[in-house]
Coordinates of all heavy atoms in Angstrom, one line a residue:
M1 N 0.8 -1.1 0.0 CA 0.0 0.0 0.0 C 0.9 1.3 0.1 O 1.8 1.4 0.8 CB -0.9 0.0 1.3 CG -1.7 1.2 1.4 SD -2.8 1.0 2.9 CE -4.1 1.8 2.2
E2 N 0.6 2.2 -1.0 CA 1.3 3.4 -1.0 C 1.0 4.3 0.1 O -0.2 4.6 0.4 CB 1.1 4.0 -2.3 CG 2.0 5.2 -2.5 CD 1.9 5.8 -4.0 OE1 1.2 5.2 -4.9 OE2 2.2 7.0 -4.2
R3 N 2.1 5.0 0.7 CA 1.7 6.0 1.7 C 1.8 7.2 1.2 O 2.8 7.6 0.6 CB 2.7 5.7 2.9 CG 2.6 6.7 4.0 CD 3.4 6.4 5.2 NE 3.3 7.5 6.2 CZ 4.2 8.4 6.6 NH1 5.4 8.3 6.0 NH2 4.0 9.2 7.4
K4 N 0.7 8.1 1.3 CA 0.8 9.5 1.0 C 1.3 10.3 2.0 O 1.1 10.2 3.1 CB -0.6 10.0 0.6 CG -1.1 9.3 -0.7 CD -2.4 9.9 -1.1 CE -2.9 9.1 -2.4 NZ -4.0 9.8 -3.1
T5 N 2.4 11.3 1.6 CA 3.0 12.0 2.5 C 2.8 13.5 2.3 O 3.0 14.0 1.1 CB 4.5 11.7 2.5 OG1 4.8 10.3 2.6 CG2 5.3 12.4 3.6
D6 N 2.5 14.3 3.2 CA 2.5 15.8 3.1 C 3.9 16.3 3.0 O 4.8 15.8 3.8 CB 1.8 16.3 4.2 CG 1.6 17.8 4.1 OD1 2.0 18.4 3.2 OD2 0.8 18.3 5.0
I7 N 4.1 17.2 2.1 CA 5.5 17.8 1.8 C 6.1 18.4 3.1 O 7.2 18.4 3.4 CB 5.5 18.7 0.7 CG1 6.9 19.2 0.3 CG2 4.7 20.0 1.0 CD1 7.8 18.1 -0.3
T8 N 5.1 18.9 3.9 CA 5.6 19.6 5.3 C 6.3 18.7 6.1 O 6.9 19.1 7.1 CB 4.5 20.3 5.9 OG1 3.5 19.4 6.2 CG2 3.9 21.4 5.1
E9 N 6.0 17.3 6.0 CA 6.7 16.4 6.8 C 8.2 16.4 6.6 O 9.1 16.1 7.4 CB 6.3 14.9 6.6 CG 4.9 14.6 7.1 CD 4.5 13.2 6.9 OE1 5.3 12.3 7.0 OE2 3.3 13.0 6.7
Y10 N 8.6 16.9 5.4 CA 10.2 17.0 5.1 C 10.7 18.4 5.4 O 12.0 18.5 5.3 CB 10.3 16.6 3.7 CG 9.9 15.2 3.3 CD1 8.7 15.1 2.6 CD2 10.7 14.2 3.7 CE1 8.4 13.7 2.3 CE2 10.3 12.8 3.3 CZ 9.1 12.7 2.7 OH 8.7 11.4 2.4
A11 N 10.0 19.4 5.7 CA 10.5 20.7 6.1 C 11.1 20.7 7.3 O 10.6 20.5 8.4 CB 9.2 21.5 6.1
R12 N 12.5 20.8 7.3 CA 13.3 20.8 8.5 C 14.0 22.1 8.8 O 14.5 22.3 9.9 CB 14.3 19.5 8.6 CG 13.6 18.2 8.4 CD 13.0 17.8 9.7 NE 12.4 16.5 9.5 CZ 11.1 16.3 9.5 NH1 10.3 17.2 9.5 NH2 10.8 14.9 9.3
D13 N 14.2 22.8 7.8 CA 15.2 24.0 8.0 C 14.7 25.1 6.9 O 13.8 24.9 6.1 CB 16.6 23.6 7.9 CG 17.5 24.5 8.8 OD1 17.0 25.6 9.3 OD2 18.6 24.1 9.0
W14 N 15.5 26.2 7.0 CA 15.1 27.3 6.1 C 15.3 27.0 4.7 O 16.2 26.1 4.2 CB 15.9 28.5 6.6 CG 17.4 28.4 6.4 CD1 18.2 27.9 7.3 CD2 18.2 28.8 5.4 NE1 19.6 27.9 6.9 CE2 19.6 28.6 5.6 CE3 17.9 29.5 4.1 CZ2 20.6 28.9 4.8 CZ3 18.9 29.7 3.3 CH2 20.2 29.5 3.5
D15 N 14.9 27.8 3.8 CA 15.2 27.8 2.3 C 15.3 29.2 2.0 O 14.9 30.2 2.6 CB 14.0 27.2 1.6 CG 14.4 26.9 0.1 OD1 15.5 27.0 -0.3 OD2 13.5 26.5 -0.7
G16 N 16.1 29.5 0.9 CA 16.4 30.8 0.5 C 16.8 31.0 -0.9 O 17.1 30.0 -1.5
L17 N 16.9 32.3 -1.3 CA 17.4 32.5 -2.7 C 18.1 34.0 -2.6 O 17.7 34.7 -1.6 CB 16.3 32.6 -3.7 CG 15.2 33.6 -3.6 CD1 15.6 34.9 -4.3 CD2 13.9 33.2 -4.2
M18 N 19.0 34.1 -3.5 CA 19.7 35.5 -3.6 C 20.0 35.8 -5.0 O 20.2 34.9 -5.8 CB 21.1 35.4 -2.8 CG 21.6 36.7 -2.7 SD 23.2 36.8 -1.6 CE 24.4 36.1 -2.7
H19 N 19.8 37.2 -5.2 CA 20.1 37.5 -6.7 C 20.9 38.8 -6.4 O 20.9 39.6 -5.5 CB 18.7 38.2 -7.1 CG 19.0 38.9 -8.5 ND1 19.2 38.1 -9.6 CD2 19.0 40.2 -8.8 CE1 19.3 39.1 -10.7 NE2 19.2 40.2 -10.2
V20 N 21.9 38.9 -7.3 CA 22.9 40.0 -7.3 C 23.0 40.6 -8.7 O 22.9 40.0 -9.7 CB 24.3 39.6 -6.8 CG1 24.2 39.2 -5.5 CG2 25.0 38.7 -7.7
N21 N 23.3 42.0 -8.7 CA 23.5 42.6 -9.9 C 24.6 43.8 -9.6 O 24.0 44.8 -9.0 CB 22.2 43.2 -10.6 CG 22.5 43.8 -11.9 OD1 23.5 44.3 -12.3 ND2 21.4 43.8 -12.8
P22 N 25.7 43.8 -10.1 CA 26.7 44.9 -9.8 C 26.3 46.2 -10.4 O 26.8 47.3 -10.0 CB 28.0 44.3 -10.3 CG 27.6 43.4 -11.4 CD 26.3 42.7 -10.9
N23 N 25.5 46.2 -11.4 CA 25.0 47.5 -12.1 C 24.0 48.2 -11.5 O 23.7 49.3 -11.9 CB 24.7 47.1 -13.6 CG 25.9 46.5 -14.2 OD1 27.0 47.0 -14.2 ND2 25.6 45.5 -15.0
L24 N 23.3 47.7 -10.4 CA 22.3 48.4 -9.8 C 22.7 49.1 -8.5 O 23.7 48.8 -7.9 CB 21.1 47.4 -9.5 CG 20.3 46.8 -10.7 CD1 19.4 45.8 -10.2 CD2 19.8 47.9 -11.6
K25 N 21.8 50.1 -7.9 CA 22.1 50.6 -6.6 C 22.0 49.5 -5.5 O 22.8 49.4 -4.6 CB 21.1 51.7 -6.4 CG 21.2 52.4 -5.1 CD 20.2 53.5 -4.8 CE 20.2 54.1 -3.4 NZ 19.2 53.5 -2.6
E26 N 21.0 48.7 -5.6 CA 20.8 47.6 -4.7 C 21.5 46.4 -5.4 O 21.2 46.0 -6.3 CB 19.3 47.2 -4.7 CG 18.5 48.2 -4.0 CD 18.0 49.3 -4.9 OE1 18.1 49.2 -6.1 OE2 17.4 50.4 -4.4
K27 N 22.7 46.2 -4.8 CA 23.7 45.2 -5.4 C 23.1 43.8 -5.3 O 23.5 42.8 -5.9 CB 25.0 45.3 -4.7 CG 25.6 46.7 -4.8 CD 25.9 47.0 -6.3 CE 26.6 48.3 -6.5 NZ 26.8 48.8 -7.8
G28 N 22.2 43.5 -4.2 CA 21.9 42.2 -4.0 C 20.5 42.3 -3.3 O 20.1 43.2 -2.6
F29 N 19.8 41.0 -3.4 CA 18.5 40.8 -2.6 C 18.5 39.5 -2.1 O 18.8 38.4 -3.0 CB 17.3 41.0 -3.6 CG 16.0 40.7 -3.0 CD1 15.3 41.6 -2.2 CD2 15.4 39.4 -3.3 CE1 14.1 41.3 -1.7 CE2 14.2 39.1 -2.8 CZ 13.5 40.0 -2.0
A30 N 18.2 39.1 -0.9 CA 18.1 37.8 -0.3 C 16.9 37.5 0.3 O 16.4 38.5 1.2 CB 19.4 37.5 0.5
M31 N 16.2 36.4 0.1 CA 14.9 36.1 0.9 C 15.1 34.7 1.5 O 15.7 33.9 0.9 CB 13.8 36.1 -0.2 CG 12.5 35.7 0.5 SD 11.1 35.8 -0.6 CE 10.9 37.6 -0.7
F32 N 14.6 34.7 2.7 CA 14.7 33.4 3.4 C 13.3 33.0 3.9 O 12.5 33.9 4.5 CB 15.6 33.6 4.6 CG 17.0 34.1 4.3 CD1 17.3 35.4 4.4 CD2 17.9 33.2 3.7 CE1 18.6 35.9 4.1 CE2 19.1 33.7 3.3 CZ 19.5 35.1 3.5
Y33 N 13.1 31.7 3.8 CA 11.7 31.1 4.1 C 11.8 30.1 5.1 O 12.8 29.3 5.2 CB 11.0 30.6 2.9 CG 9.7 29.8 3.0 CD1 8.7 30.4 3.5 CD2 9.7 28.4 3.0 CE1 7.5 29.8 3.9 CE2 8.6 27.7 3.2 CZ 7.4 28.5 3.6 OH 6.4 27.7 4.0
N34 N 10.9 30.0 6.2 CA 10.9 29.2 7.2 C 9.6 28.3 7.2 O 8.5 28.8 7.4 CB 11.0 29.9 8.6 CG 10.8 28.9 9.7 OD1 10.6 27.7 9.6 ND2 10.8 29.5 10.9
P35 N 9.7 27.1 6.7 CA 8.5 26.3 6.6 C 8.0 25.6 7.9 O 7.0 24.8 7.8 CB 8.9 25.3 5.6 CG 10.3 25.1 5.9 CD 10.8 26.4 6.2
T36 N 8.6 25.8 9.0 CA 8.4 25.1 10.2 C 7.4 26.0 11.1 O 7.2 27.1 10.8 CB 9.7 24.8 11.0 OG1 10.3 25.9 11.6 CG2 10.7 24.0 10.1
D37 N 7.0 25.4 12.2 CA 6.1 26.0 13.1 C 6.8 26.8 14.2 O 6.2 27.2 15.2 CB 5.2 25.0 13.7 CG 4.3 24.3 12.8 OD1 3.9 25.0 11.7 OD2 3.8 23.1 12.9
T38 N 8.1 26.9 14.2 CA 8.8 27.7 15.1 C 9.7 28.8 14.5 O 10.2 28.5 13.3 CB 9.7 26.7 16.0 OG1 10.7 26.1 15.2 CG2 8.8 25.8 16.9
V39 N 10.0 29.8 15.2 CA 10.8 30.9 14.8 C 12.3 30.3 14.6 O 12.7 29.5 15.5 CB 10.8 32.1 15.8 CG1 11.8 33.1 15.3 CG2 9.5 32.7 15.8
M40 N 13.0 30.7 13.5 CA 14.4 30.2 13.3 C 15.2 31.4 13.4 O 15.1 32.6 12.9 CB 14.6 29.6 12.0 CG 14.1 28.3 11.8 SD 14.5 27.7 10.1 CE 13.6 26.2 10.1
V41 N 16.4 31.2 14.1 CA 17.5 32.2 14.2 C 18.7 31.5 13.6 O 19.2 30.5 14.1 CB 17.8 32.7 15.5 CG1 19.0 33.8 15.5 CG2 16.5 33.4 16.1
R42 N 19.3 32.0 12.5 CA 20.4 31.4 11.9 C 21.5 32.4 11.4 O 21.1 33.5 11.2 CB 20.0 30.6 10.6 CG 19.0 29.5 10.7 CD 19.5 28.3 11.3 NE 18.7 27.2 11.3 CZ 17.9 26.9 12.4 NH1 17.8 27.7 13.4 NH2 17.1 25.8 12.3
T43 N 22.6 31.9 11.4 CA 23.8 32.8 10.8 C 24.2 32.3 9.5 O 24.4 31.0 9.3 CB 25.0 32.8 11.7 OG1 24.6 33.3 13.0 CG2 26.1 33.6 11.1
I44 N 23.9 33.0 8.4 CA 24.0 32.5 7.1 C 25.1 33.3 6.3 O 25.1 34.6 6.4 CB 22.6 32.8 6.3 CG1 21.4 31.9 7.0 CG2 22.7 32.3 4.9 CD1 20.1 32.2 6.6
K45 N 25.8 32.6 5.7 CA 27.0 33.2 4.9 C 26.4 33.6 3.6 O 26.0 32.7 2.8 CB 28.2 32.2 4.8 CG 29.4 32.9 4.3 CD 30.6 31.9 4.6 CE 31.8 32.7 4.2 NZ 33.0 32.0 4.9
L46 N 26.6 34.8 3.2 CA 26.2 35.3 1.8 C 27.4 35.6 1.1 O 28.2 36.5 1.3 CB 25.4 36.6 2.1 CG 24.0 36.6 2.7 CD1 23.3 37.9 2.7 CD2 23.0 35.5 2.2
P47 N 27.4 34.8 0.0 CA 28.6 35.1 -1.0 C 28.2 36.3 -1.9 O 27.3 36.4 -2.6 CB 28.7 33.8 -1.8 CG 27.3 33.2 -1.8 CD 26.7 33.7 -0.5
L48 N 29.1 37.3 -1.8 CA 28.8 38.6 -2.5 C 29.8 38.8 -3.6 O 30.0 40.0 -4.2 CB 28.9 39.8 -1.6 CG 27.7 39.7 -0.5 CD1 27.8 40.8 0.5 CD2 26.3 39.6 -1.2
Y49 N 30.6 37.9 -4.1 CA 31.6 38.0 -5.0 C 31.1 38.7 -6.3 O 31.7 39.7 -6.9 CB 32.3 36.8 -5.4 CG 33.4 36.9 -6.4 CD1 34.6 37.3 -6.1 CD2 33.1 36.6 -7.8 CE1 35.6 37.3 -7.1 CE2 34.1 36.6 -8.7 CZ 35.4 37.0 -8.4 OH 36.3 37.3 -9.3
Y50 N 30.0 38.2 -6.9 CA 29.4 38.7 -8.1 C 28.4 40.0 -7.9 O 27.9 40.6 -8.9 CB 28.6 37.7 -8.8 CG 29.4 36.6 -9.3 CD1 29.5 35.3 -8.6 CD2 30.2 36.7 -10.4 CE1 30.2 34.3 -9.0 CE2 31.0 35.8 -10.9 CZ 31.1 34.4 -10.2 OH 31.9 33.5 -10.6
S51 N 28.5 40.5 -6.7 CA 27.7 41.8 -6.4 C 28.5 43.1 -6.9 O 28.0 44.1 -6.9 CB 27.4 41.8 -4.9 OG 28.6 42.1 -4.2
G52 N 29.8 42.8 -7.0 CA 30.7 43.9 -7.3 C 31.3 44.7 -6.2 O 32.0 45.5 -6.2
L53 N 30.8 44.2 -5.0 CA 31.4 44.7 -3.6 C 32.7 44.1 -3.3 O 32.8 43.0 -3.6 CB 30.2 44.5 -2.6 CG 29.0 45.1 -2.8 CD1 27.9 44.7 -1.7 CD2 29.0 46.7 -2.9
T54 N 33.6 44.9 -2.8 CA 34.9 44.4 -2.5 C 35.4 44.5 -1.1 O 36.1 43.7 -0.6 CB 36.0 44.9 -3.4 OG1 35.9 46.4 -3.2 CG2 35.7 44.7 -4.8
Q55 N 34.8 45.5 -0.4 CA 35.3 45.7 1.0 C 34.1 45.7 2.0 O 34.2 45.1 3.1 CB 36.1 46.9 1.2 CG 37.4 46.9 0.3 CD 38.2 48.2 0.4 OE1 37.7 49.1 1.1 NE2 39.3 48.1 -0.1
K56 N 33.1 46.4 1.7 CA 31.9 46.6 2.7 C 30.6 46.4 2.0 O 30.5 46.8 0.8 CB 32.0 48.1 3.3 CG 33.1 48.3 4.2 CD 32.8 49.7 4.8 CE 34.2 50.5 4.9 NZ 34.1 51.8 5.3
A57 N 29.5 46.0 2.8 CA 28.3 46.0 2.2 C 27.3 46.5 3.3 O 27.5 46.1 4.5 CB 27.8 44.4 2.0
R58 N 26.4 47.2 2.9 CA 25.3 47.7 3.7 C 24.1 46.8 3.5 O 23.7 46.8 2.4 CB 25.1 49.3 3.5 CG 26.1 50.2 3.8 CD 25.9 51.6 3.4 NE 24.4 51.9 3.3 CZ 24.0 53.0 3.8 NH1 24.6 54.0 4.4 NH2 22.6 53.3 3.6
V59 N 23.7 46.4 4.6 CA 22.5 45.4 4.6 C 21.4 45.9 5.5 O 21.5 46.1 6.4 CB 23.1 43.9 5.0 CG1 21.9 43.0 4.8 CG2 24.2 43.5 4.1
R60 N 20.2 45.9 4.7 CA 19.0 46.1 5.5 C 17.9 45.1 5.4 O 17.8 44.5 4.4 CB 18.4 47.5 5.2 CG 18.0 47.7 3.8 CD 17.5 49.1 3.5 NE 17.3 49.3 2.1 CZ 16.2 48.9 1.3 NH1 15.3 48.4 1.9 NH2 16.3 49.2 0.0
E61 N 17.2 44.8 6.5 CA 16.2 43.9 6.6 C 14.9 44.6 6.2 O 14.5 45.6 6.8 CB 16.0 43.2 8.0 CG 14.9 42.2 7.9 CD 14.8 41.4 9.2 OE1 15.3 41.8 10.3 OE2 13.9 40.5 9.2
Q62 N 14.4 44.2 5.1 CA 13.1 44.9 4.5 C 13.3 46.3 4.5 O 14.3 46.8 3.7 CB 11.9 44.4 5.3 CG 11.7 42.9 5.3 CD 10.5 42.3 6.0 OE1 9.6 43.1 6.2 NE2 10.6 41.1 6.3
E63 N 12.5 47.2 5.1 CA 12.7 48.6 5.0 C 13.4 49.2 6.3 O 13.3 50.5 6.5 CB 11.3 49.4 4.8 CG 10.6 48.8 3.5 CD 11.4 49.1 2.3 OE1 12.1 50.1 2.3 OE2 11.4 48.3 1.3
G64 N 14.1 48.4 6.9 CA 14.8 48.9 8.1 C 16.1 49.7 7.8 O 16.4 49.9 6.7
K65 N 16.8 50.0 8.9 CA 18.0 50.8 8.8 C 19.1 49.8 8.3 O 19.2 48.7 8.8 CB 18.4 51.4 10.1 CG 17.5 52.5 10.3 CD 17.9 53.3 11.6 CE 16.9 54.4 11.9 NZ 17.4 55.3 13.0
P66 N 20.0 50.3 7.4 CA 21.1 49.4 7.1 C 22.2 49.3 8.1 O 22.5 50.2 8.8 CB 21.6 50.1 5.7 CG 21.2 51.5 5.8 CD 20.0 51.5 6.7
V67 N 22.8 48.1 8.1 CA 24.0 47.8 8.9 C 25.1 47.5 8.0 O 25.0 46.7 7.0 CB 23.7 46.5 9.9 CG1 24.9 46.2 10.5 CG2 22.4 46.8 10.8
T68 N 26.3 48.0 8.4 CA 27.4 47.9 7.5 C 28.3 46.6 7.9 O 28.5 46.4 9.1 CB 28.4 49.1 7.6 OG1 27.7 50.2 7.1 CG2 29.7 48.9 6.7
Y69 N 28.7 45.8 7.0 CA 29.3 44.6 7.1 C 30.7 44.6 6.3 O 30.6 45.2 5.2 CB 28.6 43.3 6.7 CG 27.5 43.1 7.5 CD1 26.2 43.6 7.3 CD2 27.5 42.0 8.6 CE1 25.1 43.3 8.1 CE2 26.4 41.7 9.3 CZ 25.2 42.3 9.1 OH 24.1 42.1 9.8
R70 N 31.7 44.1 6.9 CA 33.1 44.1 6.2 C 33.1 42.7 5.5 O 33.0 41.7 6.2 CB 34.2 44.3 7.1 CG 35.6 44.2 6.3 CD 36.6 44.6 7.2 NE 36.6 45.9 7.7 CZ 36.9 47.1 6.9 NH1 37.1 47.0 5.7 NH2 36.7 48.3 7.5
L71 N 33.3 42.7 4.2 CA 33.5 41.4 3.4 C 34.7 40.7 3.8 O 35.7 41.3 4.1 CB 33.5 41.7 1.9 CG 32.1 41.8 1.2 CD1 31.5 43.0 1.7 CD2 32.3 41.9 -0.2
D72 N 34.7 39.4 3.9 CA 35.9 38.5 4.4 C 36.6 38.3 3.1 O 36.4 38.9 2.0 CB 35.5 37.2 5.0 CG 34.7 36.2 4.0 OD1 34.7 36.4 2.8 OD2 34.1 35.3 4.6
R73 N 37.7 37.6 3.2 CA 38.6 37.3 2.0 C 38.0 36.7 0.8 O 38.6 36.8 -0.3 CB 39.9 36.4 2.5 CG 40.7 37.2 3.4 CD 41.8 36.2 3.9 NE 42.6 35.7 2.8 CZ 43.8 35.6 2.8 NH1 44.5 36.0 3.8 NH2 44.4 35.0 1.8
N74 N 36.9 36.0 1.0 CA 36.2 35.3 -0.1 C 34.9 36.2 -0.5 O 34.1 35.7 -1.2 CB 35.7 33.9 0.4 CG 36.8 33.1 0.6 OD1 37.8 33.0 -0.2 ND2 36.8 32.3 1.6
Y75 N 35.0 37.5 -0.2 CA 33.9 38.4 -0.6 C 32.5 37.9 -0.1 O 31.5 38.0 -0.8 CB 33.9 38.6 -2.1 CG 35.1 39.1 -2.7 CD1 36.0 38.2 -3.2 CD2 35.5 40.4 -2.6 CE1 37.2 38.6 -3.8 CE2 36.7 40.8 -3.1 CZ 37.5 40.0 -3.7 OH 38.7 40.4 -4.0
A76 N 32.5 37.5 1.2 CA 31.2 37.0 1.8 C 31.1 37.8 3.1 O 31.9 38.3 3.7 CB 31.2 35.5 2.0
I77 N 29.8 37.6 3.7 CA 29.4 38.2 5.0 C 28.7 37.1 5.7 O 28.1 36.3 5.1 CB 28.6 39.5 4.9 CG1 27.3 39.4 4.3 CG2 29.4 40.7 4.3 CD1 26.4 40.5 4.4
E78 N 28.7 37.3 7.1 CA 27.9 36.2 7.8 C 26.7 37.2 8.4 O 27.0 38.1 9.2 CB 28.7 35.6 8.9 CG 29.5 34.6 8.4 CD 30.2 33.7 9.4 OE1 29.9 34.0 10.6 OE2 30.9 32.8 9.1
L79 N 25.5 36.8 8.0 CA 24.4 37.5 8.4 C 23.4 36.8 9.4 O 23.1 35.6 9.1 CB 23.5 37.9 7.1 CG 22.2 38.8 7.2 CD1 22.6 40.1 7.7 CD2 21.5 38.7 5.9
K80 N 23.2 37.4 10.6 CA 22.3 36.7 11.4 C 20.9 37.1 11.1 O 20.4 38.2 11.1 CB 22.7 37.2 12.9 CG 21.8 36.5 13.9 CD 22.3 36.8 15.4 CE 21.4 36.1 16.4 NZ 21.8 36.4 17.8
V81 N 20.1 35.9 10.9 CA 18.7 36.1 10.3 C 17.6 35.5 11.2 O 17.9 34.4 11.7 CB 18.7 35.4 9.0 CG1 17.2 35.4 8.4 CG2 19.6 36.0 8.0
T82 N 16.6 36.2 11.5 CA 15.6 35.6 12.3 C 14.3 35.5 11.3 O 14.0 36.5 10.7 CB 15.1 36.6 13.4 OG1 16.3 36.8 14.3 CG2 13.9 36.0 14.2
I83 N 13.9 34.3 11.1 CA 12.8 34.0 10.2 C 11.6 33.6 11.0 O 11.6 32.6 11.8 CB 13.2 32.9 9.2 CG1 14.7 33.2 8.6 CG2 12.2 32.8 8.0 CD1 15.2 32.0 7.9
P84 N 10.4 34.2 10.8 CA 9.3 33.9 11.5 C 8.8 32.5 11.1 O 8.9 31.9 10.1 CB 8.2 34.9 11.2 CG 8.7 35.6 9.9 CD 10.2 35.3 9.9
A85 N 8.0 31.9 12.1 CA 7.5 30.5 11.8 C 6.4 30.6 10.7 O 5.7 31.6 10.5 CB 6.8 30.0 13.1
N86 N 6.7 29.7 9.7 CA 5.8 29.6 8.6 C 5.8 31.0 7.8 O 4.7 31.3 7.3 CB 4.3 29.2 8.9 CG 4.2 27.8 9.4 OD1 4.7 26.8 8.7 ND2 3.7 27.7 10.6
G87 N 7.0 31.6 7.8 CA 7.0 32.9 7.1 C 8.3 33.1 6.5 O 9.1 32.2 6.3
Y88 N 8.5 34.4 6.1 CA 9.6 34.8 5.4 C 10.2 36.2 5.9 O 9.5 36.9 6.5 CB 9.5 34.8 3.9 CG 8.5 35.8 3.3 CD1 9.0 37.0 3.0 CD2 7.2 35.5 3.4 CE1 8.1 38.0 2.5 CE2 6.2 36.4 3.0 CZ 6.8 37.7 2.6 OH 5.7 38.6 2.1
T89 N 11.5 36.4 5.5 CA 12.0 37.7 5.5 C 12.9 38.0 4.4 O 13.4 37.0 3.7 CB 12.8 38.0 6.9 OG1 12.9 39.4 7.2 CG2 14.0 37.1 7.0
W90 N 13.3 39.2 4.2 CA 14.1 39.6 3.0 C 15.1 40.7 3.4 O 14.8 41.4 4.3 CB 13.4 39.9 1.8 CG 12.2 40.9 1.9 CD1 11.0 40.6 2.2 CD2 12.3 42.3 1.8 NE1 10.2 41.8 2.3 CE2 11.0 42.9 2.0 CE3 13.3 43.1 1.4 CZ2 10.9 44.1 1.8 CZ3 13.0 44.5 1.2 CH2 11.8 45.1 1.4
Y91 N 16.3 40.8 2.7 CA 17.3 41.7 2.9 C 17.7 42.3 1.6 O 17.8 41.6 0.6 CB 18.4 41.1 3.6 CG 18.2 40.5 4.9 CD1 17.5 39.3 5.2 CD2 18.7 41.3 6.1 CE1 17.3 38.9 6.5 CE2 18.4 40.9 7.3 CZ 17.7 39.8 7.6 OH 17.5 39.3 8.8
V92 N 18.1 43.5 1.6 CA 18.6 44.2 0.5 C 20.1 44.6 0.8 O 20.4 45.1 1.9 CB 17.9 45.5 0.2 CG1 18.4 46.4 -0.9 CG2 16.4 45.3 -0.1
I93 N 21.0 44.3 -0.2 CA 22.4 44.6 -0.1 C 22.8 45.8 -1.0 O 22.5 45.8 -2.1 CB 23.2 43.4 -0.4 CG1 22.8 42.3 0.5 CG2 24.7 43.6 -0.4 CD1 22.4 41.0 -0.2
E94 N 23.4 46.8 -0.3 CA 23.7 48.1 -1.1 C 25.3 48.3 -0.8 O 25.8 47.7 0.2 CB 22.9 49.2 -0.6 CG 21.5 49.0 -0.9 CD 20.6 50.2 -0.2 OE1 20.9 50.7 0.8 OE2 19.6 50.5 -0.9
Q95 N 25.8 49.3 -1.6 CA 27.2 49.7 -1.4 C 27.3 50.6 -0.2 O 26.5 51.4 0.1 CB 27.7 50.3 -2.7 CG 29.2 50.5 -2.6 CD 29.8 50.8 -4.1 OE1 29.0 51.0 -5.0 NE2 31.0 51.0 -4.2

């Protein structure tokens, strides 16, 4: 007998996407989704090599105030993200 499974049974951690374009004022956009029933707090490494940024990135959550991060040797930053239960949040990366 075949067992039917709800996709949410496999949801264990966050999912996300990131887009970058070095030619725009907004160099990047990252969105994170939490499919679980509990709030998630994660530190996520964002690779910014293709964003055109080389030393610093200003990152803001949604329409909040930007925070400046120093890029590491691999052109990445570590971003502490809080994702609401069964929800999402997004970040804008600027120069």
Side-chain angles (χ1 to χ4, degrees):
M1 176 179 217
E2 184 178 342
R3 178 175 177 244
K4 292 190 177 183
T5 309
D6 185 350
I7 190 69
T8 58
E9 287 184 36
Y10 297 106
R12 301 285 185 253
D13 213 347
W14 65 275
D15 192 7
L17 62 89
M18 186 171 77
H19 173 77
V20 297
N21 186 333
N23 299 316
L24 298 177
K25 177 183 177 253
E26 294 84 11
K27 303 296 183 185
F29 174 82
M31 179 178 277
F32 305 102
Y33 171 67
N34 174 2
T36 70
D37 293 330
T38 57
V39 174
M40 284 186 187
V41 178
R42 299 286 188 271
T43 300
I44 300 171
K45 191 166 195 163
L46 294 182
L48 297 175
Y49 180 81
Y50 293 104
S51 70
L53 301 174
T54 58
Q55 296 180 354
K56 293 187 220 172
R58 292 174 25 133
V59 181
R60 62 181 163 86
E61 182 176 10
Q62 298 181 22
E63 297 302 326
K65 291 187 178 188
V67 175
T68 301
Y69 291 84
R70 182 169 298 285
L71 277 65
D72 67 17
R73 291 174 55 134
N74 294 318
Y75 303 97
I77 62 170
E78 289 192 357
L79 184 65
K80 186 173 182 180
V81 176
T82 301
I83 315 168
N86 295 304
Y88 65 92
T89 190
W90 49 271
Y91 292 81
V92 175
I93 299 126
E94 299 174 324
Q95 189 166 6

